[in-house]
Coordinates of all heavy atoms in Angstrom, one line a residue:
S1 N -16.2 -4.3 6.7 CA -15.2 -5.0 5.7 C -14.4 -6.2 6.4 O -14.1 -6.0 7.6 CB -14.3 -3.9 5.3 OG -13.2 -4.4 4.5
S2 N -14.0 -7.2 5.6 CA -13.3 -8.2 6.1 C -11.8 -8.0 5.9 O -11.0 -8.9 6.2 CB -13.8 -9.5 5.5 OG -13.5 -9.5 4.0
R3 N -11.4 -7.0 5.4 CA -9.9 -6.7 5.2 C -9.3 -6.6 6.5 O -9.8 -6.0 7.6 CB -9.7 -5.6 4.3 CG -9.7 -4.3 4.8 CD -9.4 -3.3 3.7 NE -9.4 -1.8 4.3 CZ -8.3 -1.2 4.8 NH1 -7.1 -2.0 4.7 NH2 -8.4 0.0 5.3
W4 N -8.0 -7.1 6.6 CA -7.2 -6.9 7.9 C -6.7 -5.6 8.0 O -6.2 -5.0 7.0 CB -6.1 -8.0 7.8 CG -5.4 -8.1 9.1 CD1 -5.6 -8.8 10.2 CD2 -4.1 -7.4 9.3 NE1 -4.7 -8.5 11.1 CE2 -3.8 -7.7 10.7 CE3 -3.3 -6.6 8.6 CZ2 -2.5 -7.3 11.2 CZ3 -2.1 -6.1 9.3 CH2 -1.8 -6.4 10.6
R5 N -7.0 -5.0 9.2 CA -6.5 -3.5 9.5 C -5.6 -3.5 10.6 O -5.8 -4.3 11.7 CB -7.6 -2.6 9.6 CG -8.7 -2.5 8.4 CD -9.7 -1.7 8.8 NE -10.7 -1.6 7.6 CZ -11.5 -0.6 7.4 NH1 -11.5 0.5 8.2 NH2 -12.3 -0.7 6.3
S6 N -4.7 -2.7 10.6 CA -3.7 -2.4 11.9 C -3.0 -1.1 11.7 O -2.0 -1.0 11.0 CB -2.8 -3.6 11.9 OG -2.0 -3.4 13.0
Q7 N -3.5 -0.3 12.7 CA -2.6 1.0 12.7 C -1.2 0.8 13.3 O -0.3 1.5 12.8 CB -3.4 2.0 13.5 CG -4.7 2.5 12.9 CD -4.5 3.2 11.5 OE1 -3.4 4.0 11.4 NE2 -5.2 3.0 10.7
A8 N -1.1 -0.3 14.1 CA 0.2 -0.5 14.5 C 1.0 -0.9 13.3 O 2.3 -0.6 13.4 CB 0.2 -1.6 15.6
H9 N 0.8 -1.8 12.4 CA 1.6 -2.3 11.4 C 1.7 -1.1 10.5 O 3.0 -0.9 9.9 CB 0.8 -3.4 10.5 CG 1.7 -3.8 9.4 ND1 2.8 -4.5 9.5 CD2 1.4 -3.7 8.1 CE1 3.3 -4.8 8.4 NE2 2.5 -4.1 7.5
L10 N 0.8 -0.2 10.2 CA 0.9 0.9 9.2 C 2.0 1.9 9.8 O 2.8 2.4 9.2 CB -0.4 1.6 8.9 CG -1.4 0.7 8.1 CD1 -2.6 1.5 8.0 CD2 -0.8 0.2 6.8
S11 N 1.9 2.1 11.1 CA 2.9 3.0 11.8 C 4.4 2.3 11.6 O 5.2 3.1 11.4 CB 2.4 3.1 13.3 OG 3.3 3.9 14.0
F12 N 4.4 1.1 11.8 CA 5.8 0.4 11.8 C 6.3 0.6 10.3 O 7.5 0.9 10.1 CB 5.5 -1.0 12.1 CG 6.6 -1.9 11.6 CD1 7.8 -2.1 12.2 CD2 6.6 -2.6 10.4 CE1 8.9 -2.8 11.9 CE2 7.7 -3.6 9.9 CZ 8.7 -3.6 10.7
V13 N 5.4 0.5 9.3 CA 5.8 0.7 7.9 C 6.3 2.0 7.7 O 7.4 2.3 7.1 CB 4.6 0.3 6.9 CG1 5.0 0.7 5.4 CG2 4.3 -1.2 6.9
R14 N 5.6 3.1 8.3 CA 5.9 4.5 8.1 C 7.3 4.8 8.8 O 7.9 6.0 8.5 CB 4.8 5.5 8.6 CG 3.7 5.4 7.8 CD 2.6 6.4 8.2 NE 1.3 6.1 7.8 CZ 0.4 5.5 8.5 NH1 0.7 5.2 9.7 NH2 -0.9 5.2 7.9
K15 N 7.8 4.1 9.6 CA 9.1 4.3 10.4 C 10.3 4.0 9.6 O 11.4 4.2 9.9 CB 9.1 3.6 11.7 CG 8.1 4.1 12.6 CD 8.2 3.4 13.9 CE 7.1 4.0 14.9 NZ 6.8 3.2 16.1
H16 N 10.1 3.4 8.3 CA 11.2 3.0 7.5 C 11.4 4.0 6.3 O 10.7 5.0 6.1 CB 11.0 1.7 6.8 CG 10.9 0.6 7.8 ND1 9.8 0.3 8.6 CD2 11.8 -0.4 8.0 CE1 10.1 -0.6 9.4 NE2 11.3 -1.1 9.1
H17 N 12.7 4.0 5.7 CA 12.9 4.8 4.5 C 12.0 4.4 3.3 O 11.5 3.3 3.4 CB 14.4 4.7 4.1 CG 15.4 5.2 5.2 ND1 15.6 6.6 5.4 CD2 16.2 4.6 6.0 CE1 16.4 6.8 6.4 NE2 16.8 5.4 6.8
C18 N 12.1 5.2 2.4 CA 11.4 4.9 1.1 C 12.0 3.6 0.6 O 13.2 3.3 0.7 CB 11.6 6.0 0.1 SG 10.6 5.7 -1.5
S19 N 11.1 2.7 0.2 CA 11.6 1.3 -0.3 C 12.3 1.3 -1.6 O 12.9 0.3 -2.1 CB 10.3 0.4 -0.4 OG 9.8 0.1 0.8
M20 N 12.1 2.5 -2.4 CA 12.8 2.6 -3.7 C 14.2 2.8 -3.5 O 14.5 3.7 -2.8 CB 12.2 3.8 -4.5 CG 12.5 3.8 -6.0 SD 12.3 2.4 -7.0 CE 10.6 2.5 -7.3
P21 N 15.0 1.9 -4.0 CA 16.4 2.0 -3.8 C 17.0 3.5 -4.2 O 16.7 4.0 -5.0 CB 17.1 0.8 -4.7 CG 16.0 -0.2 -4.7 CD 14.7 0.8 -4.9
G22 N 17.9 3.8 -3.2 CA 18.7 5.2 -3.4 C 17.8 6.4 -3.0 O 18.3 7.5 -3.0
C23 N 16.5 6.2 -2.7 CA 15.5 7.3 -2.4 C 15.8 7.8 -0.9 O 15.7 6.8 0.0 CB 14.2 7.0 -2.7 SG 13.1 8.5 -2.4
Q24 N 15.9 9.0 -0.7 CA 15.9 9.5 0.8 C 14.8 10.5 0.9 O 14.7 11.3 1.9 CB 17.2 10.2 1.0 CG 18.5 9.2 1.0 CD 18.3 8.2 2.0 OE1 18.0 8.4 3.3 NE2 18.6 7.0 1.6
G25 N 13.7 10.4 0.1 CA 12.5 11.3 0.1 C 11.8 11.2 1.3 O 11.8 10.1 2.1
M26 N 11.0 12.2 1.6 CA 10.1 12.3 2.8 C 9.0 13.0 2.4 O 9.1 13.8 1.4 CB 11.0 13.1 4.0 CG 12.1 12.4 4.6 SD 11.8 10.9 5.5 CE 11.4 11.7 7.0
P27 N 7.9 13.0 3.1 CA 7.6 12.0 4.2 C 7.3 10.7 3.8 O 7.0 10.5 2.5 CB 6.4 12.7 5.0 CG 5.6 13.5 3.8 CD 6.9 13.9 2.9
I28 N 7.4 9.8 4.6 CA 7.0 8.4 4.3 C 5.6 8.1 4.6 O 5.1 8.5 5.6 CB 8.0 7.3 5.2 CG1 9.6 7.7 4.9 CG2 7.6 6.0 4.9 CD1 9.9 7.5 3.5
E29 N 5.1 7.3 3.7 CA 3.7 7.0 3.6 C 3.6 5.4 3.5 O 4.4 4.8 3.1 CB 2.9 7.5 2.5 CG 3.0 9.0 2.6 CD 2.3 9.9 1.3 OE1 2.1 9.1 0.3 OE2 2.2 11.0 1.5
A30 N 2.5 4.9 4.1 CA 2.2 3.5 4.0 C 1.4 3.3 2.6 O 0.3 3.6 2.6 CB 1.5 3.0 5.2
A31 N 2.0 2.7 1.6 CA 1.4 2.6 0.4 C 1.0 1.1 0.2 O 1.7 0.2 0.3 CB 2.5 2.8 -0.7
H32 N -0.4 1.0 0.0 CA -0.9 -0.4 -0.2 C -0.7 -0.8 -1.6 O -0.7 0.0 -2.6 CB -2.5 -0.2 0.1 CG -2.8 -0.1 1.5 ND1 -2.8 1.1 2.2 CD2 -3.3 -1.0 2.5 CE1 -3.1 1.0 3.4 NE2 -3.4 -0.4 3.6
V33 N -0.3 -2.1 -1.6 CA -0.1 -2.8 -3.0 C -1.2 -3.5 -3.4 O -1.7 -4.4 -2.7 CB 1.2 -3.6 -2.8 CG1 1.5 -4.3 -4.3 CG2 2.4 -2.9 -2.5
R34 N -1.8 -3.1 -4.6 CA -3.2 -3.7 -5.0 C -2.8 -5.0 -5.8 O -3.5 -6.0 -5.8 CB -3.9 -2.7 -6.0 CG -4.5 -1.6 -5.1 CD -5.3 -0.6 -6.0 NE -6.5 -1.4 -6.4 CZ -7.5 -1.5 -5.6 NH1 -7.4 -1.1 -4.4 NH2 -8.6 -2.2 -6.0
I35 N -1.6 -5.0 -6.6 CA -1.5 -6.1 -7.5 C -1.4 -7.5 -6.6 O -0.8 -7.5 -5.5 CB 0.0 -6.1 -8.0 CG1 0.0 -4.9 -9.0 CG2 0.5 -7.3 -8.7 CD1 1.4 -4.6 -9.6
N36 N -2.1 -8.5 -7.1 CA -2.3 -9.8 -6.3 C -2.9 -9.8 -5.0 O -2.8 -10.6 -4.2 CB -0.9 -10.5 -6.2 CG -0.3 -10.8 -7.4 OD1 -0.8 -11.1 -8.5 ND2 1.2 -10.6 -7.5
S37 N -3.6 -8.5 -4.8 CA -4.3 -8.5 -3.4 C -5.7 -9.0 -3.3 O -6.1 -9.2 -2.3 CB -4.4 -6.9 -3.1 OG -5.3 -6.3 -3.8
G38 N -6.2 -9.2 -4.4 CA -7.6 -9.8 -4.4 C -8.6 -8.6 -4.2 O -9.9 -8.9 -4.2
A39 N -8.2 -7.3 -4.0 CA -9.1 -6.3 -3.7 C -9.9 -5.9 -5.0 O -9.2 -5.8 -6.0 CB -8.4 -5.1 -3.0
G40 N -11.0 -5.5 -4.9 CA -11.8 -5.2 -6.1 C -11.7 -3.6 -6.3 O -11.1 -3.0 -5.6
M41 N -12.3 -3.3 -7.4 CA -12.3 -1.8 -7.6 C -13.0 -1.1 -6.4 O -14.0 -1.3 -5.9 CB -13.0 -1.5 -8.9 CG -12.5 -1.9 -10.1 SD -10.9 -1.1 -10.5 CE -11.5 0.5 -10.8
G42 N -12.1 0.0 -6.1 CA -12.7 0.8 -4.9 C -12.4 0.2 -3.5 O -12.8 0.8 -2.5
E43 N -11.7 -0.8 -3.6 CA -11.5 -1.5 -2.3 C -10.0 -1.4 -1.9 O -9.2 -1.6 -2.9 CB -11.8 -3.0 -2.2 CG -13.3 -3.3 -2.4 CD -13.5 -4.9 -2.5 OE1 -12.7 -5.6 -2.8 OE2 -14.7 -5.2 -2.1
K44 N -9.7 -1.1 -0.7 CA -8.3 -1.0 -0.4 C -7.9 -2.4 0.2 O -8.6 -3.2 0.9 CB -8.1 -0.1 0.9 CG -6.7 0.3 1.2 CD -6.7 1.4 2.2 CE -6.6 2.7 1.5 NZ -6.2 3.8 2.2
P45 N -6.7 -2.8 -0.2 CA -6.2 -4.1 0.2 C -5.9 -4.2 1.7 O -5.9 -3.2 2.4 CB -4.7 -4.2 -0.5 CG -4.9 -3.2 -1.7 CD -5.7 -2.2 -1.1
H46 N -5.6 -5.5 2.2 CA -5.3 -5.5 3.6 C -4.1 -4.6 3.9 O -3.3 -4.5 3.1 CB -4.8 -7.0 3.8 CG -6.0 -8.1 3.6 ND1 -7.1 -8.1 4.4 CD2 -6.1 -9.1 2.6 CE1 -7.8 -9.1 3.8 NE2 -7.3 -9.6 2.9
D47 N -4.2 -4.2 5.2 CA -3.0 -3.3 5.7 C -1.6 -4.1 5.7 O -0.6 -3.3 5.6 CB -3.3 -2.8 7.0 CG -4.3 -1.6 7.1 OD1 -4.7 -1.1 6.0 OD2 -4.7 -1.4 8.1
H48 N -1.6 -5.5 5.7 CA -0.3 -6.2 5.6 C 0.2 -6.0 4.3 O 1.4 -6.5 4.1 CB -0.4 -7.6 6.1 CG -1.4 -8.4 5.5 ND1 -1.1 -9.0 4.3 CD2 -2.6 -9.0 5.9 CE1 -2.0 -9.8 3.8 NE2 -3.0 -9.8 4.8
R49 N -0.4 -5.6 3.2 CA 0.1 -5.3 1.8 C 0.5 -3.9 1.6 O 0.6 -3.4 0.6 CB -1.0 -5.7 0.9 CG -1.1 -7.4 0.9 CD -1.9 -7.8 -0.3 NE -1.3 -7.4 -1.6 CZ -0.3 -8.3 -2.1 NH1 0.2 -9.2 -1.4 NH2 0.2 -7.8 -3.3
A50 N 1.0 -3.3 2.8 CA 1.5 -1.9 2.8 C 3.0 -2.0 2.9 O 3.6 -2.7 3.6 CB 0.9 -1.1 3.9
V51 N 3.6 -1.1 2.0 CA 5.2 -0.8 2.0 C 5.5 0.5 2.3 O 4.6 1.5 2.0 CB 5.8 -1.4 0.9 CG1 5.6 -2.9 0.6 CG2 5.3 -0.6 -0.5
S52 N 6.7 0.9 2.7 CA 7.0 2.4 2.8 C 7.5 3.0 1.4 O 8.3 2.4 0.8 CB 8.1 2.4 3.8 OG 9.3 1.7 3.4
L53 N 6.8 4.0 1.2 CA 7.3 4.9 0.0 C 7.2 6.4 0.4 O 6.3 6.7 1.2 CB 6.3 4.7 -1.2 CG 6.2 3.3 -1.8 CD1 5.2 3.2 -2.9 CD2 7.7 3.0 -2.4
C54 N 8.1 7.2 0.0 CA 8.0 8.5 0.2 C 6.8 9.2 -0.6 O 6.3 8.5 -1.6 CB 9.3 9.3 -0.4 SG 9.5 9.1 -2.2
R55 N 6.4 10.3 -0.3 CA 5.2 10.9 -1.1 C 5.4 10.9 -2.6 O 4.5 10.6 -3.1 CB 5.0 12.3 -0.5 CG 3.7 12.9 -1.0 CD 3.2 14.2 -0.5 NE 2.8 13.8 1.0 CZ 2.8 14.7 2.0 NH1 3.2 15.9 1.8 NH2 2.2 14.3 3.1
F56 N 6.6 11.2 -3.0 CA 6.8 11.2 -4.5 C 6.6 9.8 -5.1 O 5.9 9.7 -6.0 CB 8.2 11.7 -4.9 CG 8.5 11.6 -6.2 CD1 8.2 12.5 -7.2 CD2 9.4 10.5 -6.7 CE1 8.3 12.3 -8.6 CE2 9.5 10.3 -8.0 CZ 9.3 11.4 -9.0
H57 N 7.2 8.9 -4.5 CA 7.1 7.5 -5.1 C 5.6 6.9 -5.0 O 5.2 6.3 -5.8 CB 8.2 6.6 -4.5 CG 9.5 6.8 -5.2 ND1 10.7 7.3 -4.6 CD2 9.9 6.7 -6.5 CE1 11.7 7.4 -5.4 NE2 11.2 7.1 -6.5
H58 N 5.1 7.3 -3.8 CA 3.6 6.8 -3.6 C 2.7 7.4 -4.7 O 1.9 6.6 -5.4 CB 3.3 7.1 -2.3 CG 1.9 6.6 -1.9 ND1 1.3 6.7 -0.6 CD2 1.2 5.6 -2.4 CE1 0.1 6.1 -0.5 NE2 0.0 5.3 -1.7
S59 N 3.0 8.7 -5.0 CA 2.3 9.4 -6.0 C 2.5 8.5 -7.4 O 1.6 8.4 -8.3 CB 2.5 10.8 -6.1 OG 1.8 11.4 -7.2
Q60 N 3.8 8.4 -7.6 CA 4.2 7.9 -8.9 C 3.6 6.4 -8.9 O 3.2 5.9 -10.1 CB 5.8 7.8 -8.9 CG 6.3 7.3 -10.3 CD 7.7 7.2 -10.3 OE1 8.4 6.7 -9.4 NE2 8.4 7.8 -11.5
Q61 N 3.5 5.6 -7.9 CA 2.9 4.3 -7.9 C 1.6 4.3 -8.5 O 1.2 3.5 -9.3 CB 2.8 3.8 -6.6 CG 2.1 2.4 -6.3 CD 1.5 2.1 -4.8 OE1 1.6 3.0 -4.1 NE2 1.2 0.9 -4.7
H62 N 0.7 5.4 -8.2 CA -0.6 5.6 -8.7 C -0.6 6.2 -10.1 O -1.5 5.9 -11.0 CB -1.4 6.5 -7.6 CG -1.7 5.9 -6.4 ND1 -2.6 4.7 -6.3 CD2 -1.2 6.1 -5.0 CE1 -2.4 4.3 -5.0 NE2 -1.7 5.1 -4.3
T63 N 0.2 7.1 -10.4 CA 0.3 7.8 -11.7 C 0.6 6.9 -12.8 O 0.0 6.9 -13.8 CB 1.2 9.0 -11.5 OG1 0.9 9.8 -10.6 CG2 1.1 9.7 -12.9
I64 N 1.7 6.2 -12.7 CA 2.2 5.3 -13.8 C 1.6 3.9 -13.8 O 1.7 3.2 -14.8 CB 3.7 5.2 -13.9 CG1 4.3 4.4 -12.8 CG2 4.4 6.6 -14.1 CD1 5.8 4.1 -13.0
G65 N 0.9 3.5 -12.7 CA 0.4 2.2 -12.6 C 1.2 1.2 -11.9 O 2.5 1.4 -11.9
E66 N 0.8 0.4 -11.1 CA 1.5 -0.5 -10.3 C 2.2 -1.5 -11.1 O 3.4 -1.6 -10.7 CB 0.6 -1.2 -9.3 CG 0.1 -0.4 -8.2 CD -0.3 -1.2 -7.0 OE1 0.4 -2.1 -6.6 OE2 -1.4 -0.8 -6.4
P67 N 1.8 -2.0 -12.2 CA 2.7 -3.0 -13.0 C 4.0 -2.2 -13.3 O 5.1 -2.7 -13.2 CB 1.9 -3.4 -14.2 CG 0.6 -3.2 -13.7 CD 0.5 -2.0 -12.8
A68 N 4.0 -1.0 -13.9 CA 5.2 -0.2 -14.3 C 6.0 0.2 -13.2 O 7.1 0.0 -13.1 CB 4.8 0.9 -15.1
F69 N 5.3 0.6 -12.1 CA 6.0 1.2 -10.9 C 6.8 -0.1 -10.2 O 8.0 0.1 -9.9 CB 5.1 1.7 -9.9 CG 5.9 2.2 -8.6 CD1 6.5 3.5 -8.7 CD2 6.0 1.5 -7.5 CE1 7.2 3.9 -7.6 CE2 6.7 1.9 -6.3 CZ 7.2 3.2 -6.5
W70 N 6.2 -1.2 -10.0 CA 6.8 -2.4 -9.3 C 7.9 -3.0 -10.3 O 8.8 -3.7 -9.7 CB 5.8 -3.3 -8.7 CG 5.2 -2.5 -7.6 CD1 3.7 -2.2 -7.6 CD2 5.6 -2.1 -6.4 NE1 3.4 -1.6 -6.4 CE2 4.7 -1.4 -5.6 CE3 6.9 -2.1 -6.0 CZ2 4.8 -0.8 -4.4 CZ3 7.1 -1.4 -4.7 CH2 6.1 -0.7 -3.9
A71 N 7.7 -2.9 -11.5 CA 8.7 -3.4 -12.4 C 10.0 -2.5 -12.3 O 11.1 -3.2 -12.3 CB 8.2 -3.4 -14.0
S72 N 9.8 -1.2 -12.2 CA 11.0 -0.4 -12.0 C 11.6 -0.7 -10.7 O 12.8 -0.7 -10.5 CB 10.6 1.1 -12.2 OG 9.8 1.5 -11.1
Y73 N 10.8 -0.9 -9.7 CA 11.3 -1.4 -8.3 C 12.2 -2.7 -8.3 O 13.3 -2.6 -8.0 CB 10.2 -1.5 -7.3 CG 10.6 -2.2 -6.0 CD1 11.4 -1.5 -5.1 CD2 10.5 -3.6 -5.8 CE1 11.9 -2.0 -3.9 CE2 11.0 -4.2 -4.5 CZ 11.7 -3.4 -3.7 OH 12.2 -3.9 -2.6
K74 N 11.7 -3.6 -9.0 CA 12.4 -4.9 -9.3 C 13.7 -4.7 -10.0 O 14.7 -5.2 -9.6 CB 11.5 -6.0 -10.0 CG 12.2 -7.2 -10.1 CD 11.2 -8.4 -10.8 CE 12.1 -9.7 -10.7 NZ 11.3 -10.7 -11.3
A75 N 13.6 -3.8 -11.0 CA 14.9 -3.7 -11.8 C 16.0 -2.9 -10.9 O 17.1 -3.3 -11.0 CB 14.6 -2.7 -13.0
A76 N 15.6 -2.0 -10.0 CA 16.4 -1.3 -9.2 C 16.9 -2.1 -8.0 O 18.0 -1.9 -7.5 CB 15.7 0.0 -8.6
S77 N 16.0 -2.9 -7.4 CA 16.4 -3.6 -6.1 C 16.8 -5.1 -6.4 O 17.4 -5.8 -5.6 CB 15.1 -3.6 -5.2 OG 14.1 -4.5 -5.8
G78 N 16.3 -5.6 -7.5 CA 16.5 -7.1 -7.7 C 15.5 -8.0 -7.0 O 15.6 -9.3 -7.0
E79 N 14.5 -7.5 -6.3 CA 13.6 -8.1 -5.6 C 12.1 -7.8 -6.1 O 12.0 -6.7 -6.5 CB 13.7 -8.1 -4.2 CG 13.2 -6.9 -3.4 CD 13.4 -7.0 -2.0 OE1 13.8 -7.9 -1.4 OE2 12.9 -6.0 -1.3
T80 N 11.2 -8.7 -6.0 CA 9.7 -8.4 -6.2 C 9.1 -7.7 -5.0 O 9.5 -7.6 -4.0 CB 8.9 -9.7 -6.6 OG1 8.7 -10.4 -5.2 CG2 9.7 -10.6 -7.7
V81 N 8.0 -7.1 -5.5 CA 7.1 -6.3 -4.5 C 6.7 -7.3 -3.6 O 6.6 -7.1 -2.3 CB 6.1 -5.5 -5.2 CG1 5.0 -6.4 -5.9 CG2 5.4 -4.6 -4.1
E82 N 6.4 -8.5 -3.9 CA 5.9 -9.6 -2.9 C 7.0 -10.0 -2.0 O 6.6 -10.1 -0.7 CB 5.4 -10.9 -3.7 CG 4.2 -10.6 -4.5 CD 3.0 -10.2 -3.8 OE1 2.7 -10.6 -2.7 OE2 2.2 -9.4 -4.5
Q83 N 8.2 -9.9 -2.3 CA 9.3 -10.1 -1.4 C 9.5 -9.0 -0.4 O 9.7 -9.1 0.8 CB 10.6 -10.4 -2.1 CG 10.8 -11.6 -2.9 CD 12.0 -11.8 -3.8 OE1 12.1 -10.8 -4.6 NE2 12.7 -12.8 -3.6
L84 N 9.2 -7.7 -1.0 CA 9.3 -6.6 -0.1 C 8.1 -6.6 0.9 O 8.4 -6.4 2.1 CB 9.1 -5.3 -0.9 CG 9.1 -4.0 -0.2 CD1 10.4 -3.7 0.6 CD2 8.8 -2.9 -1.1
I85 N 6.9 -6.9 0.4 CA 5.7 -7.1 1.5 C 5.9 -8.2 2.6 O 5.9 -7.9 3.7 CB 4.4 -7.4 0.6 CG1 3.9 -6.3 -0.3 CG2 3.4 -7.9 1.5 CD1 3.0 -6.6 -1.3
E86 N 6.6 -9.2 2.0 CA 6.8 -10.3 3.0 C 7.8 -9.9 4.1 O 7.7 -10.2 5.3 CB 7.2 -11.6 2.2 CG 7.4 -12.7 3.1 CD 6.0 -13.2 3.8 OE1 5.0 -12.8 3.3 OE2 6.2 -13.9 4.9
A87 N 8.7 -9.1 3.7 CA 9.8 -8.7 4.6 C 9.2 -7.8 5.7 O 9.5 -7.8 6.9 CB 11.0 -7.9 3.9
F88 N 8.4 -7.0 5.3 CA 7.6 -6.0 6.2 C 6.8 -6.8 7.2 O 6.6 -6.6 8.3 CB 6.9 -4.9 5.6 CG 7.6 -3.7 5.1 CD1 8.0 -3.4 3.8 CD2 7.9 -2.7 6.1 CE1 8.6 -2.3 3.5 CE2 8.7 -1.7 5.8 CZ 8.9 -1.3 4.4
C89 N 6.1 -7.7 6.6 CA 5.1 -8.7 7.4 C 5.9 -9.5 8.4 O 5.5 -9.5 9.6 CB 4.4 -9.8 6.6 SG 3.1 -8.9 5.5
K90 N 7.0 -10.0 8.0 CA 7.8 -10.8 9.1 C 8.5 -9.9 10.1 O 8.6 -10.4 11.2 CB 9.1 -11.6 8.3 CG 8.5 -12.8 7.5 CD 9.5 -13.5 6.8 CE 9.0 -14.7 6.2 NZ 10.3 -15.5 5.5
A91 N 8.8 -8.7 9.8 CA 9.5 -7.8 10.9 C 8.4 -7.1 11.6 O 8.8 -6.4 12.6 CB 10.4 -6.9 10.1
S92 N 7.2 -7.0 11.2 CA 6.1 -6.3 11.9 C 5.9 -6.6 13.3 O 6.0 -7.9 13.6 CB 4.9 -6.5 11.1 OG 3.8 -5.9 11.7
P93 N 5.5 -5.8 14.2 CA 5.2 -6.1 15.5 C 4.0 -6.9 15.5 O 3.5 -7.5 16.5 CB 5.0 -4.8 16.2 CG 4.9 -3.8 15.2 CD 5.5 -4.2 14.0
R94 N 3.3 -7.0 14.4 CA 2.0 -7.6 14.4 C 2.1 -8.9 13.5 O 1.2 -9.3 12.9 CB 0.8 -6.8 13.8 CG 0.4 -5.5 14.6 CD -0.2 -6.1 16.0 NE -0.7 -5.0 16.6 CZ -0.2 -4.5 17.7 NH1 1.0 -4.9 18.2 NH2 -0.7 -3.5 18.4
A95 N 3.4 -9.4 13.4 CA 3.7 -10.5 12.5 C 2.8 -11.6 12.8 O 2.3 -12.4 11.8 CB 5.1 -11.0 12.6
L96 N 2.5 -12.0 14.0 CA 1.7 -13.3 14.2 C 0.3 -13.1 13.8 O -0.3 -14.0 13.1 CB 1.7 -13.5 15.8 CG 0.8 -14.7 16.2 CD1 1.2 -16.0 15.6 CD2 0.8 -14.7 17.7
E97 N -0.2 -11.9 14.0 CA -1.6 -11.5 13.7 C -1.6 -11.6 12.0 O -2.6 -12.1 11.5 CB -2.0 -10.2 13.9 CG -2.4 -10.0 15.5 CD -2.5 -8.5 15.8 OE1 -3.2 -7.8 15.0 OE2 -2.0 -8.0 16.9
I98 N -0.6 -11.1 11.3 CA -0.8 -11.1 10.0 C -0.6 -12.5 9.5 O -1.4 -13.0 8.6 CB 0.6 -10.3 9.4 CG1 0.4 -8.8 9.6 CG2 0.8 -10.6 7.9 CD1 1.7 -8.0 9.4
R99 N 0.2 -13.5 10.1 CA 0.3 -14.7 9.5 C -1.0 -15.5 9.6 O -1.5 -16.2 8.9 CB 1.3 -15.5 10.3 CG 1.8 -16.9 10.0 CD 3.0 -17.5 10.5 NE 3.1 -17.5 11.9 CZ 3.9 -16.6 12.5 NH1 4.7 -15.8 12.1 NH2 4.0 -16.7 13.9
Q100 N -1.7 -15.3 11.0 CA -3.0 -15.8 11.1 C -4.2 -15.3 10.1 O -4.9 -16.0 9.7 CB -3.5 -15.5 12.6 CG -2.7 -16.2 13.7 CD -2.9 -15.8 15.0 OE1 -3.4 -14.7 15.2 NE2 -2.6 -16.6 16.0
A101 N -4.0 -14.0 9.8 CA -5.0 -13.4 8.8 C -4.8 -14.1 7.5 O -5.7 -14.3 6.8 CB -4.8 -12.0 8.7
K102 N -3.5 -14.3 7.0 CA -3.2 -14.9 5.8 C -3.6 -16.4 5.7 O -4.2 -16.9 4.8 CB -1.7 -14.8 5.5 CG -1.2 -13.5 5.2 CD 0.3 -13.6 4.9 CE 1.0 -12.4 4.5 NZ 2.2 -12.4 4.2
E103 N -3.5 -17.1 7.0 CA -3.9 -18.5 6.9 C -5.6 -18.7 7.0 O -5.9 -19.5 6.3 CB -3.4 -19.1 8.2 CG -2.0 -19.4 8.3 CD -1.3 -19.9 9.6 OE1 -2.1 -19.9 10.5 OE2 -0.1 -20.0 9.7
T104 N -6.0 -17.7 7.5 CA -7.6 -17.6 7.5 C -8.1 -17.5 6.1 O -8.9 -17.9 5.6 CB -8.2 -16.6 8.5 OG1 -7.6 -16.8 9.7 CG2 -9.6 -16.5 8.4
A105 N -7.5 -16.4 5.4 CA -7.8 -16.1 4.1 C -7.5 -17.3 3.1 O -8.3 -17.4 2.1 CB -6.9 -14.9 3.5
D106 N -6.4 -18.2 3.4 CA -6.2 -19.1 2.5 C -7.0 -20.5 2.8 O -7.0 -21.3 1.9 CB -4.7 -19.6 2.7 CG -3.7 -18.6 2.1 OD1 -4.3 -17.6 1.2 OD2 -2.6 -18.5 2.4
A107 N -7.7 -20.4 3.9 CA -8.6 -21.6 4.4 C -9.7 -21.8 3.6 O -10.3 -20.9 2.9 CB -8.8 -21.5 5.8

């Protein structure tokens, strides 16, 4: 597969609280965001499109569907899921690799 993978980045994501404002749920999971990912049916998005969600919210992301879930995130936080993903990418210990992977994909 040509998708970008990084256990180090996923581990970094799991070290954060749930991204849903006000949530203190545990355990934390690395939830891949499919919206705008370019991943087809049955394909997982690049690991750099993962964000921290507790098990409850990760399940809810899949149950109610990403458009509804991320709309509720935006209403609660004031930011888009793309802004959240970008914040994780910039702070990641693999930030340089992520930037290079994105540049390669855009080329």
